[in-house]
Structure formats: C-alpha cells, structure tokens
Amino acid sequence: MKAERKLEAVKDASHLYEVERRARHAERPGFRISELQLSPTQTVPWHFHTNISDTFYVLEGKMRLFLQNPKQDVRLGVGESFVAVAGRPHLVTNAGEGSLTFLILQGVGEYDYVPLV
C-alpha cells in the first residue's frame, strides 16, 4: 500500500520557481496584485490555493493555463483574463516566443500556495 503524501502549504512561493521579473503592486489583508514576467521556458508549477482565487490578466505575450478538476487548457492573449477558483489545481506557462507579462489578482482570503510536485 502506497503512503499518501501530505501536501504542505507555504505562505511565500517565490523561492519555488524562477521568473524573469516579479513585482507586487498592491497588498492589503486578504487581497494582492502582483505582476510576473516569464521567459518562453519558465512556468509556474502545478499548485492550488486553499482559500483564494487567481485572476490572470495578460499584459504582453501569450499565456497557456492547464487546469485540473475538470481538465482544461486555456490560452490567453493580451487583454484577456481567466479565473482559477480556490482549490483548483493549475499550471501557468508562456505560450509565446517572447516574454509573457501578466497581472495576477489574488483573493479574497488568506494566501497560501500548495505545490503538487
């Protein structure tokens, strides 16, 4: 019988994956707005948030989101947005040949990051 691995939530995931640039534009209890820039080879690995949703808004480039429960493949361009609800596993990739820059609005609730790998 295989032992079930307990997923450990972290309060700051910035050390878990590399990005070209990361900036926090606003933060207050239960809500924050960040800007991330990914190179064509960078990803935000599989994870979910227990209490908050992620709203992605593309500023530059092309984004591809993979989601589970249910499985979904979403492609976004400049000016497009998508919401990954709390508890829904997702992975963020750069789907273009240049940098991807996007805003991520997170809330409302206490932030956590639960890695799946």
Side-chain angles (χ1 to χ4, degrees), residues 21 23 25 47 58 63 76-77 85-86 88 94 105:
R21 188 171 56 79
H25 292 297
H47 68 283
V58 177
M63 175 185 283
L76 301 175
V85 298
R88 189 169 187 199
N94 181 338
L105 291 73

Side-chain angles (χ1 to χ4, degrees), residues 21 25 27 33 42 44-45 48 51 61 70 79 82 84-85 91 101:
R21 188 171 56 79
H25 292 297
E27 184 168 13
I33 301 171
Q42 292 174 322
V44 178
F48 68 90
N51 301 306
F82 184 85
V85 298
L91 171 121
T101 305

Side-chain angles (χ1 to χ4, degrees), residues 35-87:
E35 182 177 336
L36 273 69
Q37 183 175 340
L38 301 180
S39 76
T41 60
Q42 292 174 322
T43 65
V44 178
W46 281 106
H47 68 283
F48 68 90
H49 307 285
T50 306
N51 301 306
I52 62 155
S53 63
D54 281 348
T55 301
F56 301 96
Y57 181 84
V58 177
L59 297 171
E60 178 183 1
K62 297 177 184 178
M63 175 185 283
R64 188 170 182 191
L65 289 163
F66 295 93
L67 301 109
Q68 297 176 7
N69 303 331
K71 285 187 178 183
Q72 190 174 5
D73 181 349
V74 176
R75 294 171 190 260
L76 301 175
V78 173
E80 295 181 314
S81 63
F82 184 85
V83 178
V85 298

